[in-house]
Amino acid sequence: DIQMTQSPSSLSASVGDRVTITCRASQGISNYLAWFQQKPGKAPKSLIYAASSLQSGVPSKFSGSGSGTDFTLTISSLQPEDFATYYCQQYNSYPPTFGQGTRLEIK
Amino acid sequence: EVQLLESGGGLVQPGGSLRLSCAASEFTFSSYAMSWVRQAPGKGLEWVSAISGSGGSTYYADSVKGRFTISRDNSKNTLYLQMNSLRAEDTALYYCAGSNYDSIRFDYWGQGTLVTVSS
């Protein structure tokens, strides 16, 4: 199975900040990488697919990059509604696997 | 707008069975590969099982292989997960999720149904 490792596991930031979350795959996955946002008590929401393509309706403050084994999610100008847990997921091969999550908290 | 609504969760004893359903609306269900993804309390996301749009191909995580069965009825726009021989470690919120672009890409999610395995 492909292991997905996110860093950091938790992150404190202030409103208006720009933050970056990294995701590393244990083997190359081309660009078959998605990012999700999950708020407490809610289902995950797809933000990005194919490493850098924004889902319809997702604001451009979210951006993704990377290919192969190393990927990043960047969120600019943090707003209160952005504080949540973020997951990466590879869909290059079965079984699809998720990172352990990055909890983004308000400083 | 794609809508997915899970049901069928509940409290079950170890060794028991449960059948989850996921009703889909507002899209061409048969063109979507669908999966079940679960989340244990306070934990991360774990893929459980997937099925192709036609239902002809199914896939399972090793942790549920031989105990869970995924199926779909495209005439009813409904996805199912039959769970047998349930264990305490199966306790989780179960989401259905899917995409019409890739079999294991999760563009759309339901709100989840809670399964608790306890005596």
Side-chain angles (χ1 to χ4, degrees):
Chain A
D1 297 3
I2 298 174
Q3 306 303 315
M4 305 301 292
T5 304
Q6 289 181 231
S7 61
S9 295
S10 62
L11 177 59
S12 291
S14 301
V15 172
D17 283 355
R18 178 176 185 245
V19 297
T20 296
I21 299 168
T22 65
C23 178
R24 175 164 288 176
S26 60
Q27 63 189 74
I29 59 170
S30 185
N31 69 334
Y32 292 96
L33 191 284
W35 288 98
F36 301 91
Q37 176 194 65
Q38 187 177 33
K39 297 181 179 180
K42 299 294 186 181
K45 173 187 175 182
S46 178
L47 299 175
I48 287 172
Y49 63 94
S52 60
S53 297
L54 227 54
Q55 287 283 6
S56 175
V58 173
S60 59
K61 63 188 304 180
F62 293 94
S63 63
S65 66
S67 183
T69 60
D70 294 313
F71 303 87
T72 61
L73 171 70
T74 299
I75 312 169
S76 61
S77 187
L78 281 171
Q79 296 302 305
E81 61 269 23
D82 299 328
F83 292 92
T85 299
Y86 293 84
Y87 294 93
C88 62
Q89 178 241 332
Q90 67 81 17
Y91 55 98
N92 178 74
S93 62
Y94 280 92
T97 45
F98 294 86
Q100 80 279 14
T102 295
R103 185 175 179 181
L104 177 57
E105 301 174 318
I106 298 178
K107 185 181 290 184
Chain B
E1 180 184 351
V2 171
Q3 294 187 9
L4 299 169
L5 184 63
E6 301 94 336
S7 61
L11 174 64
V12 61
Q13 292 186 339
S17 299
L18 214 53
R19 189 197 200 199
L20 306 183
S21 299
C22 171
S25 60
E26 308 300 331
F27 66 102
T28 307
F29 183 65
S30 60
S31 66
Y32 280 64
M34 298 295 297
S35 280
W36 290 96
V37 177
R38 68 185 180 184
Q39 187 169 36
K43 302 298 184 181
L45 301 167
E46 179 190 18
W47 172 79
V48 173
S49 182
I51 188 168
S52 62
S54 67
S57 297
T58 57
Y59 308 86
Y60 298 93
D62 287 345
S63 58
V64 306
K65 200 172 294 182
R67 300 188 299 122
F68 290 11
T69 301
I70 192 171
S71 62
R72 65 192 297 161
D73 185 338
N74 287 341
S75 68
K76 295 182 178 179
N77 284 2
T78 303
L79 173 73
Y80 303 100
L81 186 67
Q82 178 67 43
M83 303 186 296
N84 299 332
S85 302
L86 282 161
R87 306 167 180 167
E89 55 265 35
D90 295 318
T91 294
L93 188 59
Y94 283 73
Y95 297 101
C96 63
S99 170
N100 65 339
Y101 291 101
D102 192 286
S103 62
I104 44 175
R105 197 176 107 180
F106 308 130
D107 295 335
Y108 304 104
W109 296 69
Q111 88 295 341
T113 186
L114 181 62
V115 172
T116 303
V117 184
S118 175
S119 55

